Amino acid sequence: MRKVVALLASPRKKHTYEATRQFLDNVQACGQVECELVVLSDYQVGMCRGCKVCFEKGEEYCPLKDDRDVLIDKMMRADGVVFACPNYSFQVCALMKVFLDRLGFVFHRPRFFGKVFTALVTQGIYGGEKIVNYLDFVGNGFGFTTVKGRCFTAFEPMTEQEKQQRDQALTQLSQRFYRKLVKPEFPVPTFFKLMGFRMGRTSIRLELDETSRDYTYYRDLGWFDSDYYYPTRVGFIKRSLGKLFDTIQTRQTRNRKKSQSMPNRCV
Ligand SMILES: Cc1cc2nc3c(=O)[nH]c(=O)nc-3n(C[C@H](O)[C@H](O)[C@H](O)COP(=O)(O)O)c2cc1C
């Protein structure tokens, strides 16, 4: 039995809700899947205060005591996660952005490896494709295996043809999502993902220390010595490139530290 949770960030139960509901019903019809539709507006999620305590000390020290961890827990327990939101002023709606800001520390300490992710965006006219790309980027940054999301135009009233196109697109997306859901993946990293991991972890190792949560997170997961976030087949070329990225970052960090320790000269 696989579990899917969809986080819906719309203040009303209309187009985004309907698309999400239909997507989940389609996935459920594919096989043994249990789905949950979580309406974000039913939960208390406060606006980030920007203190960066989550980055530095750890997320449990966040001064806001609300439902953030209930929602993270739902995502952690699921095999698949969907972020669904309407296009508001050419971006994700505020409800979604408030939620994502509270999860900002997950970009520092990704944790959703082996889980599948997709995004559903609805719009009136234009701008939703960029939002889909943004949410896909967020999914990747959190560690998910991302199935490229879809944007649905829901100009009111929708014609029969538009409804058919939406239903067809939802069917295709749910089938792609289901295929990944039943076959968890730990894909070989792309060049850019490998570079991001190796340079990021080298910088964390050299710049931070035990007082930093990012440092202890990486250290405890063995990421200072691993090829990538998780065991995967990294061939000879990527292994060599990985070492090169470590070396480049080591030099950059040393040069930065050197220039920081030099006294400022007045000209
Ligand atoms: C405040 C606000 C801003 C919006 N901005 C855009 C926009 O920039 N581009 C667009 O195509 N649609 C825009 N829309 C339309 C919604 O994206 C569209 O109606 C969407 O399907 C609403 O989803 P819902 O039915 O789940 O609320 C906006 C709607 C609202 C309420």
Side-chain angles (χ1 to χ4, degrees):
M1 177 66 84
R2 302 262 145 197
K3 203 169 182 333
V4 175
V5 62
L7 294 143
L8 172 78
S10 177
R12 61 178 197 160
K13 282 188 176 172
K14 188 77 179 118
H15 295 301
T16 321
Y17 173 83
E18 283 165 13
T20 311
R21 188 67 270 163
Q22 196 171 326
F23 173 86
L24 293 178
D25 290 346
N26 290 348
V27 173
Q28 221 156 4
C30 290
Q32 293 224 308
V33 186
E34 190 189 308
C35 294
E36 186 183 5
L37 202 165
V38 173
V39 179
L40 271 184
S41 57
D42 290 344
Y43 291 79
Q44 291 286 327
V45 182
M47 220 186 275
C48 173
R49 292 186 190 161
C51 64
K52 295 198 202 165
V53 165
C54 59
F55 292 164
E56 289 152 15
K57 275 181 76 182
E59 60 271 28
E60 63 274 33
Y61 295 98
C62 177
L64 301 175
K65 301 296 169 220
D66 55 20
D67 292 330
R68 180 200 65 178
D69 291 347
V70 175
L71 297 165
I72 293 176
D73 194 51
K74 284 182 185 291
M75 289 163 64
M76 285 304 285
R77 285 169 191 273
D79 304 292
V81 173
V82 182
F83 283 178
C85 81
N87 170 356
Y88 275 10
S89 308
F90 305 102
Q91 245 306 340
V92 293
C93 63
L95 205 52
M96 176 58 84
K97 190 60 172 60
V98 166
F99 176 62
L100 293 180
D101 288 351
R102 294 293 303 291
L103 263 62
F105 66 89
V106 183
F107 288 110
H108 286 226
R109 305 188 288 273
R111 58 199 61 197
F112 296 106
F113 303 107
K115 297 179 191 291
V116 58
F117 172 90
T118 200
L120 299 178
V121 174
T122 66
Q123 67 177 4
I125 302 172
Y126 173 78
E129 285 302 332
K130 280 193 180 153
I131 302 173
V132 169
N133 290 341
Y134 166 66
L135 288 173
D136 285 350
F137 175 84
V138 169
N140 277 321
F142 285 0
F144 285 106
T145 301
T146 300
V147 172
K148 189 171 170 30
R150 286 297 291 253
C151 170
F152 302 95
T153 301
F155 194 72
E156 292 173 50
M158 279 176 88
T159 64
E160 271 315 304
Q161 198 193 359
E162 283 166 345
K163 279 185 190 157
Q164 269 178 18
Q165 280 171 349
R166 180 197 62 188
D167 294 350
Q168 216 174 357
L170 278 167
T171 305
Q172 283 169 0
L173 183 63
S174 44
Q175 284 170 353
R176 284 211 309 274
F177 186 86
Y178 178 77
R179 281 198 290 273
K180 297 255 186 216
L181 188 71
V182 288
K183 210 168 145 240
E185 272 185 15
F186 292 86
V188 176
T190 61
F191 174 87
F192 286 107
K193 283 189 173 177
L194 182 70
M195 185 170 76
F197 170 71
R198 298 298 280 257
M199 293 181 82
R201 71 104 180 263
T202 304
S203 163
I204 288 171
R205 184 170 60 81
L206 297 175
E207 302 239 16
L208 305 178
D209 58 30
E210 309 239 333
T211 60
S212 153
R213 187 56 174 275
D214 289 354
Y215 183 94
T216 53
Y217 189 82
Y218 271 64
R219 183 200 61 194
D220 295 350
L221 287 168
W223 286 353
F224 288 145
D225 304 305
S226 60
D227 283 335
Y228 192 56
Y229 291 113
Y230 46 76
T232 180
R233 272 182 300 107
V234 179
F236 174 75
I237 293 178
K238 283 200 174 145
R239 186 157 296 149
S240 309
L241 278 171
K243 283 185 186 153
L244 180 68
F245 296 140
D246 287 335
T247 310
I248 292 171
Q249 187 59 47
T250 304
R251 275 203 200 136
Q252 274 184 12
T253 306
R254 286 206 182 124
N255 288 343
R256 217 176 129 250
K257 281 188 172 174
K258 228 186 269 174
S259 62
Q260 269 172 352
S261 64
M262 285 212 294
N264 284 339
R265 264 192 253 151
C266 294
V267 183

